[in-house]
Amino acid sequence: MRNISFLAAVSMLALGACAPRYLQNQPPVTPVPQAEPAQPAVTDDAAISARVLQQINTLRGNIGLTGLVQNPQLDAAALAHSRDMSAQNRAWHWGSDGSSPLDRARRQGFTGTLVGENISETYENDMETLAAWMSTRDTRDVIMDPAATQLGFSWYKEPSGKFWWTLLTAR
């Protein structure tokens, strides 16, 4: 009985030392250090907007939708609303003057049709905010609406580091 127990233990050790062929002669895996998420800086406006537009167009392209085009009038409306939400200290779709997303777009000279607006109050960066919008059906639908052809995107950063994000889609 002892011999069987001894053979079983030795066999288990031998089998445990075996690695699958695809792992043989591979360098050891070392974890990649995680970098802190980059927070948007005031001077990165164009780069952040371009990155968000590119990511949205990639997501839309993955399901066969046409890409969006950045619209400066919608960008201006988004910036005005981001600042206004900060002043009100709440994320909601109505301006402090009672304005709607369409009202704000019209004030900036936009004459098209507004499809939708996404907003967020967060300490997250642009890609984390976009990921959060994409994880919720209502906000994802604003970004992925097949009728949308134009994008307005902006944010306001408070001295505390809190961001107020606004995204508008239109045609």
PDB file of all heavy atoms in Angstrom, residues 137-166:
ATOM      1  N   ARG A 137     -28.243  51.677 -22.385  1.00  0.00           N
ATOM      2  CA  ARG A 137     -28.981  51.702 -23.647  1.00  0.00           C
ATOM      3  C   ARG A 137     -29.389  53.105 -24.087  1.00  0.00           C
ATOM      4  O   ARG A 137     -29.211  53.469 -25.245  1.00  0.00           O
ATOM      5  CB  ARG A 137     -30.210  50.808 -23.557  1.00  0.00           C
ATOM      6  CG  ARG A 137     -30.939  50.786 -24.871  1.00  0.00           C
ATOM      7  CD  ARG A 137     -32.074  49.842 -24.926  1.00  0.00           C
ATOM      8  NE  ARG A 137     -32.637  49.927 -26.276  1.00  0.00           N
ATOM      9  CZ  ARG A 137     -33.641  49.234 -26.661  1.00  0.00           C
ATOM     10  NH1 ARG A 137     -34.212  48.390 -25.844  1.00  0.00           N
ATOM     11  NH2 ARG A 137     -34.108  49.359 -27.883  1.00  0.00           N
ATOM     12  N   ASP A 138     -29.963  53.905 -23.198  1.00  0.00           N
ATOM     13  CA  ASP A 138     -30.452  55.228 -23.590  1.00  0.00           C
ATOM     14  C   ASP A 138     -29.332  56.112 -24.144  1.00  0.00           C
ATOM     15  O   ASP A 138     -29.511  56.777 -25.170  1.00  0.00           O
ATOM     16  CB  ASP A 138     -31.134  55.928 -22.412  1.00  0.00           C
ATOM     17  CG  ASP A 138     -32.448  55.273 -22.023  1.00  0.00           C
ATOM     18  OD1 ASP A 138     -32.996  54.483 -22.822  1.00  0.00           O
ATOM     19  OD2 ASP A 138     -32.925  55.546 -20.902  1.00  0.00           O
ATOM     20  N   THR A 139     -28.207  56.149 -23.455  1.00  0.00           N
ATOM     21  CA  THR A 139     -27.103  57.006 -23.908  1.00  0.00           C
ATOM     22  C   THR A 139     -26.397  56.396 -25.120  1.00  0.00           C
ATOM     23  O   THR A 139     -25.935  57.118 -26.002  1.00  0.00           O
ATOM     24  CB  THR A 139     -26.125  57.284 -22.754  1.00  0.00           C
ATOM     25  OG1 THR A 139     -25.736  56.044 -22.152  1.00  0.00           O
ATOM     26  CG2 THR A 139     -26.766  58.174 -21.700  1.00  0.00           C
ATOM     27  N   ARG A 140     -26.323  55.070 -25.172  1.00  0.00           N
ATOM     28  CA  ARG A 140     -25.734  54.408 -26.351  1.00  0.00           C
ATOM     29  C   ARG A 140     -26.577  54.709 -27.591  1.00  0.00           C
ATOM     30  O   ARG A 140     -26.040  54.960 -28.674  1.00  0.00           O
ATOM     31  CB  ARG A 140     -25.640  52.903 -26.118  1.00  0.00           C
ATOM     32  CG  ARG A 140     -25.032  52.138 -27.281  1.00  0.00           C
ATOM     33  CD  ARG A 140     -24.888  50.648 -27.004  1.00  0.00           C
ATOM     34  NE  ARG A 140     -26.142  50.000 -26.651  1.00  0.00           N
ATOM     35  CZ  ARG A 140     -26.421  49.498 -25.455  1.00  0.00           C
ATOM     36  NH1 ARG A 140     -25.537  49.542 -24.475  1.00  0.00           N
ATOM     37  NH2 ARG A 140     -27.591  48.932 -25.219  1.00  0.00           N
ATOM     38  N   ASP A 141     -27.906  54.712 -27.440  1.00  0.00           N
ATOM     39  CA  ASP A 141     -28.786  54.989 -28.572  1.00  0.00           C
ATOM     40  C   ASP A 141     -28.572  56.384 -29.145  1.00  0.00           C
ATOM     41  O   ASP A 141     -28.719  56.587 -30.353  1.00  0.00           O
ATOM     42  CB  ASP A 141     -30.249  54.800 -28.175  1.00  0.00           C
ATOM     43  CG  ASP A 141     -30.637  53.332 -28.010  1.00  0.00           C
ATOM     44  OD1 ASP A 141     -29.831  52.442 -28.369  1.00  0.00           O
ATOM     45  OD2 ASP A 141     -31.750  53.081 -27.497  1.00  0.00           O
ATOM     46  N   VAL A 142     -28.233  57.350 -28.309  1.00  0.00           N
ATOM     47  CA  VAL A 142     -27.945  58.700 -28.804  1.00  0.00           C
ATOM     48  C   VAL A 142     -26.712  58.672 -29.710  1.00  0.00           C
ATOM     49  O   VAL A 142     -26.687  59.292 -30.776  1.00  0.00           O
ATOM     50  CB  VAL A 142     -27.738  59.682 -27.620  1.00  0.00           C
ATOM     51  CG1 VAL A 142     -27.168  61.014 -28.093  1.00  0.00           C
ATOM     52  CG2 VAL A 142     -29.042  59.893 -26.868  1.00  0.00           C
ATOM     53  N   ILE A 143     -25.699  57.937 -29.307  1.00  0.00           N
ATOM     54  CA  ILE A 143     -24.448  57.865 -30.064  1.00  0.00           C
ATOM     55  C   ILE A 143     -24.603  57.016 -31.325  1.00  0.00           C
ATOM     56  O   ILE A 143     -24.057  57.345 -32.381  1.00  0.00           O
ATOM     57  CB  ILE A 143     -23.325  57.298 -29.162  1.00  0.00           C
ATOM     58  CG1 ILE A 143     -23.047  58.280 -28.019  1.00  0.00           C
ATOM     59  CG2 ILE A 143     -22.066  57.002 -29.966  1.00  0.00           C
ATOM     60  CD1 ILE A 143     -22.180  57.715 -26.908  1.00  0.00           C
ATOM     61  N   MET A 144     -25.376  55.938 -31.236  1.00  0.00           N
ATOM     62  CA  MET A 144     -25.465  54.976 -32.333  1.00  0.00           C
ATOM     63  C   MET A 144     -26.705  55.159 -33.208  1.00  0.00           C
ATOM     64  O   MET A 144     -26.961  54.340 -34.089  1.00  0.00           O
ATOM     65  CB  MET A 144     -25.439  53.556 -31.760  1.00  0.00           C
ATOM     66  CG  MET A 144     -24.223  53.259 -30.891  1.00  0.00           C
ATOM     67  SD  MET A 144     -22.648  53.511 -31.720  1.00  0.00           S
ATOM     68  CE  MET A 144     -22.543  51.989 -32.627  1.00  0.00           C
ATOM     69  N   ASP A 145     -27.441  56.223 -33.018  1.00  0.00           N
ATOM     70  CA  ASP A 145     -28.648  56.448 -33.815  1.00  0.00           C
ATOM     71  C   ASP A 145     -28.279  56.544 -35.298  1.00  0.00           C
ATOM     72  O   ASP A 145     -27.454  57.385 -35.675  1.00  0.00           O
ATOM     73  CB  ASP A 145     -29.352  57.726 -33.359  1.00  0.00           C
ATOM     74  CG  ASP A 145     -30.732  57.890 -33.955  1.00  0.00           C
ATOM     75  OD1 ASP A 145     -30.890  57.718 -35.186  1.00  0.00           O
ATOM     76  OD2 ASP A 145     -31.662  58.197 -33.199  1.00  0.00           O
ATOM     77  N   PRO A 146     -28.879  55.720 -36.155  1.00  0.00           N
ATOM     78  CA  PRO A 146     -28.536  55.759 -37.578  1.00  0.00           C
ATOM     79  C   PRO A 146     -28.861  57.089 -38.245  1.00  0.00           C
ATOM     80  O   PRO A 146     -28.258  57.430 -39.270  1.00  0.00           O
ATOM     81  CB  PRO A 146     -29.396  54.638 -38.187  1.00  0.00           C
ATOM     82  CG  PRO A 146     -29.819  53.782 -37.054  1.00  0.00           C
ATOM     83  CD  PRO A 146     -29.818  54.651 -35.837  1.00  0.00           C
ATOM     84  N   ALA A 147     -29.775  57.861 -37.683  1.00  0.00           N
ATOM     85  CA  ALA A 147     -30.142  59.151 -38.273  1.00  0.00           C
ATOM     86  C   ALA A 147     -29.081  60.219 -38.021  1.00  0.00           C
ATOM     87  O   ALA A 147     -29.022  61.223 -38.731  1.00  0.00           O
ATOM     88  CB  ALA A 147     -31.487  59.621 -37.716  1.00  0.00           C
ATOM     89  N   ALA A 148     -28.241  60.031 -37.026  1.00  0.00           N
ATOM     90  CA  ALA A 148     -27.237  61.046 -36.673  1.00  0.00           C
ATOM     91  C   ALA A 148     -26.136  61.115 -37.721  1.00  0.00           C
ATOM     92  O   ALA A 148     -25.652  60.095 -38.213  1.00  0.00           O
ATOM     93  CB  ALA A 148     -26.648  60.740 -35.301  1.00  0.00           C
ATOM     94  N   THR A 149     -25.744  62.339 -38.044  1.00  0.00           N
ATOM     95  CA  THR A 149     -24.634  62.564 -38.979  1.00  0.00           C
ATOM     96  C   THR A 149     -23.601  63.536 -38.415  1.00  0.00           C
ATOM     97  O   THR A 149     -22.511  63.658 -38.956  1.00  0.00           O
ATOM     98  CB  THR A 149     -25.137  63.133 -40.321  1.00  0.00           C
ATOM     99  OG1 THR A 149     -25.824  64.368 -40.073  1.00  0.00           O
ATOM    100  CG2 THR A 149     -26.064  62.145 -41.024  1.00  0.00           C
ATOM    101  N   GLN A 150     -23.967  64.253 -37.340  1.00  0.00           N
ATOM    102  CA  GLN A 150     -23.095  65.282 -36.783  1.00  0.00           C
ATOM    103  C   GLN A 150     -22.930  65.090 -35.280  1.00  0.00           C
ATOM    104  O   GLN A 150     -23.814  64.552 -34.620  1.00  0.00           O
ATOM    105  CB  GLN A 150     -23.660  66.674 -37.070  1.00  0.00           C
ATOM    106  CG  GLN A 150     -23.762  66.961 -38.559  1.00  0.00           C
ATOM    107  CD  GLN A 150     -24.381  68.302 -38.818  1.00  0.00           C
ATOM    108  OE1 GLN A 150     -23.940  69.306 -38.270  1.00  0.00           O
ATOM    109  NE2 GLN A 150     -25.411  68.325 -39.642  1.00  0.00           N
ATOM    110  N   LEU A 151     -21.807  65.585 -34.772  1.00  0.00           N
ATOM    111  CA  LEU A 151     -21.483  65.440 -33.356  1.00  0.00           C
ATOM    112  C   LEU A 151     -21.046  66.772 -32.778  1.00  0.00           C
ATOM    113  O   LEU A 151     -20.287  67.521 -33.407  1.00  0.00           O
ATOM    114  CB  LEU A 151     -20.333  64.436 -33.187  1.00  0.00           C
ATOM    115  CG  LEU A 151     -19.781  64.273 -31.765  1.00  0.00           C
ATOM    116  CD1 LEU A 151     -20.755  63.450 -30.927  1.00  0.00           C
ATOM    117  CD2 LEU A 151     -18.418  63.622 -31.783  1.00  0.00           C
ATOM    118  N   GLY A 152     -21.517  67.046 -31.580  1.00  0.00           N
ATOM    119  CA  GLY A 152     -21.005  68.140 -30.768  1.00  0.00           C
ATOM    120  C   GLY A 152     -20.541  67.543 -29.459  1.00  0.00           C
ATOM    121  O   GLY A 152     -21.242  66.729 -28.857  1.00  0.00           O
ATOM    122  N   PHE A 153     -19.341  67.906 -29.022  1.00  0.00           N
ATOM    123  CA  PHE A 153     -18.799  67.315 -27.807  1.00  0.00           C
ATOM    124  C   PHE A 153     -17.942  68.350 -27.099  1.00  0.00           C
ATOM    125  O   PHE A 153     -17.108  69.014 -27.712  1.00  0.00           O
ATOM    126  CB  PHE A 153     -17.938  66.090 -28.177  1.00  0.00           C
ATOM    127  CG  PHE A 153     -17.249  65.468 -26.993  1.00  0.00           C
ATOM    128  CD1 PHE A 153     -17.958  64.695 -26.092  1.00  0.00           C
ATOM    129  CD2 PHE A 153     -15.903  65.667 -26.779  1.00  0.00           C
ATOM    130  CE1 PHE A 153     -17.330  64.132 -24.994  1.00  0.00           C
ATOM    131  CE2 PHE A 153     -15.262  65.104 -25.685  1.00  0.00           C
ATOM    132  CZ  PHE A 153     -15.973  64.334 -24.795  1.00  0.00           C
ATOM    133  N   SER A 154     -18.157  68.479 -25.786  1.00  0.00           N
ATOM    134  CA  SER A 154     -17.313  69.370 -24.995  1.00  0.00           C
ATOM    135  C   SER A 154     -17.459  69.035 -23.523  1.00  0.00           C
ATOM    136  O   SER A 154     -18.262  68.183 -23.140  1.00  0.00           O
ATOM    137  CB  SER A 154     -17.669  70.840 -25.244  1.00  0.00           C
ATOM    138  OG  SER A 154     -16.631  71.669 -24.772  1.00  0.00           O
ATOM    139  N   TRP A 155     -16.677  69.714 -22.714  1.00  0.00           N
ATOM    140  CA  TRP A 155     -16.666  69.486 -21.279  1.00  0.00           C
ATOM    141  C   TRP A 155     -16.177  70.747 -20.581  1.00  0.00           C
ATOM    142  O   TRP A 155     -15.626  71.654 -21.190  1.00  0.00           O
ATOM    143  CB  TRP A 155     -15.747  68.322 -20.910  1.00  0.00           C
ATOM    144  CG  TRP A 155     -14.307  68.628 -21.205  1.00  0.00           C
ATOM    145  CD1 TRP A 155     -13.376  69.151 -20.363  1.00  0.00           C
ATOM    146  CD2 TRP A 155     -13.652  68.494 -22.458  1.00  0.00           C
ATOM    147  NE1 TRP A 155     -12.177  69.331 -21.014  1.00  0.00           N
ATOM    148  CE2 TRP A 155     -12.327  68.933 -22.306  1.00  0.00           C
ATOM    149  CE3 TRP A 155     -14.062  68.038 -23.709  1.00  0.00           C
ATOM    150  CZ2 TRP A 155     -11.414  68.934 -23.357  1.00  0.00           C
ATOM    151  CZ3 TRP A 155     -13.147  68.040 -24.745  1.00  0.00           C
ATOM    152  CH2 TRP A 155     -11.837  68.482 -24.558  1.00  0.00           C
ATOM    153  N   TYR A 156     -16.417  70.753 -19.283  1.00  0.00           N
ATOM    154  CA  TYR A 156     -15.885  71.801 -18.417  1.00  0.00           C
ATOM    155  C   TYR A 156     -15.250  71.119 -17.221  1.00  0.00           C
ATOM    156  O   TYR A 156     -15.838  70.211 -16.635  1.00  0.00           O
ATOM    157  CB  TYR A 156     -17.009  72.747 -17.962  1.00  0.00           C
ATOM    158  CG  TYR A 156     -16.531  73.776 -16.979  1.00  0.00           C
ATOM    159  CD1 TYR A 156     -15.717  74.827 -17.389  1.00  0.00           C
ATOM    160  CD2 TYR A 156     -16.857  73.679 -15.636  1.00  0.00           C
ATOM    161  CE1 TYR A 156     -15.252  75.769 -16.476  1.00  0.00           C
ATOM    162  CE2 TYR A 156     -16.391  74.613 -14.723  1.00  0.00           C
ATOM    163  CZ  TYR A 156     -15.597  75.652 -15.148  1.00  0.00           C
ATOM    164  OH  TYR A 156     -15.134  76.569 -14.239  1.00  0.00           O
ATOM    165  N   LYS A 157     -14.039  71.534 -16.871  1.00  0.00           N
ATOM    166  CA  LYS A 157     -13.339  70.955 -15.727  1.00  0.00           C
ATOM    167  C   LYS A 157     -13.283  71.982 -14.599  1.00  0.00           C
ATOM    168  O   LYS A 157     -12.766  73.085 -14.769  1.00  0.00           O
ATOM    169  CB  LYS A 157     -11.918  70.549 -16.114  1.00  0.00           C
ATOM    170  CG  LYS A 157     -11.150  69.908 -14.964  1.00  0.00           C
ATOM    171  CD  LYS A 157      -9.739  69.521 -15.381  1.00  0.00           C
ATOM    172  CE  LYS A 157      -8.982  68.909 -14.228  1.00  0.00           C
ATOM    173  NZ  LYS A 157      -7.594  68.578 -14.614  1.00  0.00           N
ATOM    174  N   GLU A 158     -13.825  71.583 -13.455  1.00  0.00           N
ATOM    175  CA  GLU A 158     -13.772  72.439 -12.274  1.00  0.00           C
ATOM    176  C   GLU A 158     -12.380  72.377 -11.650  1.00  0.00           C
ATOM    177  O   GLU A 158     -11.648  71.403 -11.866  1.00  0.00           O
ATOM    178  CB  GLU A 158     -14.803  71.965 -11.239  1.00  0.00           C
ATOM    179  CG  GLU A 158     -16.226  72.154 -11.673  1.00  0.00           C
ATOM    180  CD  GLU A 158     -17.221  71.711 -10.609  1.00  0.00           C
ATOM    181  OE1 GLU A 158     -16.826  71.068  -9.605  1.00  0.00           O
ATOM    182  OE2 GLU A 158     -18.414  72.018 -10.794  1.00  0.00           O
ATOM    183  N   PRO A 159     -12.006  73.371 -10.846  1.00  0.00           N
ATOM    184  CA  PRO A 159     -10.707  73.317 -10.153  1.00  0.00           C
ATOM    185  C   PRO A 159     -10.537  72.062  -9.289  1.00  0.00           C
ATOM    186  O   PRO A 159      -9.426  71.585  -9.101  1.00  0.00           O
ATOM    187  CB  PRO A 159     -10.708  74.584  -9.294  1.00  0.00           C
ATOM    188  CG  PRO A 159     -11.632  75.523 -10.006  1.00  0.00           C
ATOM    189  CD  PRO A 159     -12.693  74.650 -10.629  1.00  0.00           C
ATOM    190  N   SER A 160     -11.641  71.487  -8.804  1.00  0.00           N
ATOM    191  CA  SER A 160     -11.577  70.271  -7.980  1.00  0.00           C
ATOM    192  C   SER A 160     -11.194  69.042  -8.802  1.00  0.00           C
ATOM    193  O   SER A 160     -10.892  67.997  -8.244  1.00  0.00           O
ATOM    194  CB  SER A 160     -12.934  70.020  -7.321  1.00  0.00           C
ATOM    195  OG  SER A 160     -13.892  69.668  -8.313  1.00  0.00           O
ATOM    196  N   GLY A 161     -11.250  69.155 -10.121  1.00  0.00           N
ATOM    197  CA  GLY A 161     -10.960  68.018 -10.992  1.00  0.00           C
ATOM    198  C   GLY A 161     -12.210  67.341 -11.519  1.00  0.00           C
ATOM    199  O   GLY A 161     -12.131  66.428 -12.329  1.00  0.00           O
ATOM    200  N   LYS A 162     -13.384  67.791 -11.096  1.00  0.00           N
ATOM    201  CA  LYS A 162     -14.641  67.213 -11.583  1.00  0.00           C
ATOM    202  C   LYS A 162     -14.900  67.713 -13.000  1.00  0.00           C
ATOM    203  O   LYS A 162     -14.702  68.879 -13.318  1.00  0.00           O
ATOM    204  CB  LYS A 162     -15.809  67.613 -10.701  1.00  0.00           C
ATOM    205  CG  LYS A 162     -17.131  66.984 -11.151  1.00  0.00           C
ATOM    206  CD  LYS A 162     -18.324  67.579 -10.452  1.00  0.00           C
ATOM    207  CE  LYS A 162     -18.463  67.040  -9.060  1.00  0.00           C
ATOM    208  NZ  LYS A 162     -19.712  67.483  -8.406  1.00  0.00           N
ATOM    209  N   PHE A 163     -15.373  66.782 -13.847  1.00  0.00           N
ATOM    210  CA  PHE A 163     -15.699  67.111 -15.231  1.00  0.00           C
ATOM    211  C   PHE A 163     -17.200  67.091 -15.432  1.00  0.00           C
ATOM    212  O   PHE A 163     -17.915  66.261 -14.854  1.00  0.00           O
ATOM    213  CB  PHE A 163     -15.083  66.076 -16.196  1.00  0.00           C
ATOM    214  CG  PHE A 163     -13.600  66.175 -16.290  1.00  0.00           C
ATOM    215  CD1 PHE A 163     -12.794  65.389 -15.487  1.00  0.00           C
ATOM    216  CD2 PHE A 163     -12.998  67.047 -17.179  1.00  0.00           C
ATOM    217  CE1 PHE A 163     -11.428  65.465 -15.567  1.00  0.00           C
ATOM    218  CE2 PHE A 163     -11.623  67.131 -17.270  1.00  0.00           C
ATOM    219  CZ  PHE A 163     -10.836  66.340 -16.457  1.00  0.00           C
ATOM    220  N   TRP A 164     -17.654  67.970 -16.294  1.00  0.00           N
ATOM    221  CA  TRP A 164     -19.043  68.019 -16.736  1.00  0.00           C
ATOM    222  C   TRP A 164     -18.995  67.828 -18.251  1.00  0.00           C
ATOM    223  O   TRP A 164     -18.462  68.673 -18.968  1.00  0.00           O
ATOM    224  CB  TRP A 164     -19.678  69.356 -16.363  1.00  0.00           C
ATOM    225  CG  TRP A 164     -19.681  69.585 -14.882  1.00  0.00           C
ATOM    226  CD1 TRP A 164     -18.673  70.109 -14.129  1.00  0.00           C
ATOM    227  CD2 TRP A 164     -20.723  69.264 -13.978  1.00  0.00           C
ATOM    228  NE1 TRP A 164     -19.031  70.141 -12.809  1.00  0.00           N
ATOM    229  CE2 TRP A 164     -20.294  69.624 -12.686  1.00  0.00           C
ATOM    230  CE3 TRP A 164     -21.997  68.709 -14.139  1.00  0.00           C
ATOM    231  CZ2 TRP A 164     -21.090  69.454 -11.564  1.00  0.00           C
ATOM    232  CZ3 TRP A 164     -22.781  68.539 -12.994  1.00  0.00           C
ATOM    233  CH2 TRP A 164     -22.329  68.909 -11.732  1.00  0.00           C
ATOM    234  N   TRP A 165     -19.494  66.704 -18.726  1.00  0.00           N
ATOM    235  CA  TRP A 165     -19.399  66.307 -20.133  1.00  0.00           C
ATOM    236  C   TRP A 165     -20.742  66.486 -20.823  1.00  0.00           C
ATOM    237  O   TRP A 165     -21.790  66.178 -20.249  1.00  0.00           O
ATOM    238  CB  TRP A 165     -19.010  64.846 -20.261  1.00  0.00           C
ATOM    239  CG  TRP A 165     -17.726  64.478 -19.591  1.00  0.00           C
ATOM    240  CD1 TRP A 165     -17.567  63.976 -18.326  1.00  0.00           C
ATOM    241  CD2 TRP A 165     -16.410  64.562 -20.140  1.00  0.00           C
ATOM    242  NE1 TRP A 165     -16.236  63.739 -18.079  1.00  0.00           N
ATOM    243  CE2 TRP A 165     -15.511  64.092 -19.173  1.00  0.00           C
ATOM    244  CE3 TRP A 165     -15.901  64.983 -21.372  1.00  0.00           C
ATOM    245  CZ2 TRP A 165     -14.132  64.022 -19.376  1.00  0.00           C
ATOM    246  CZ3 TRP A 165     -14.541  64.918 -21.584  1.00  0.00           C
ATOM    247  CH2 TRP A 165     -13.675  64.447 -20.588  1.00  0.00           C
ATOM    248  N   THR A 166     -20.713  66.951 -22.071  1.00  0.00           N
ATOM    249  CA  THR A 166     -21.935  67.051 -22.883  1.00  0.00           C
ATOM    250  C   THR A 166     -21.610  66.569 -24.303  1.00  0.00           C
ATOM    251  O   THR A 166     -20.605  66.976 -24.882  1.00  0.00           O
ATOM    252  CB  THR A 166     -22.474  68.493 -22.942  1.00  0.00           C
ATOM    253  OG1 THR A 166     -22.676  68.967 -21.609  1.00  0.00           O
ATOM    254  CG2 THR A 166     -23.781  68.564 -23.708  1.00  0.00           C
TER     255      THR A 166
END
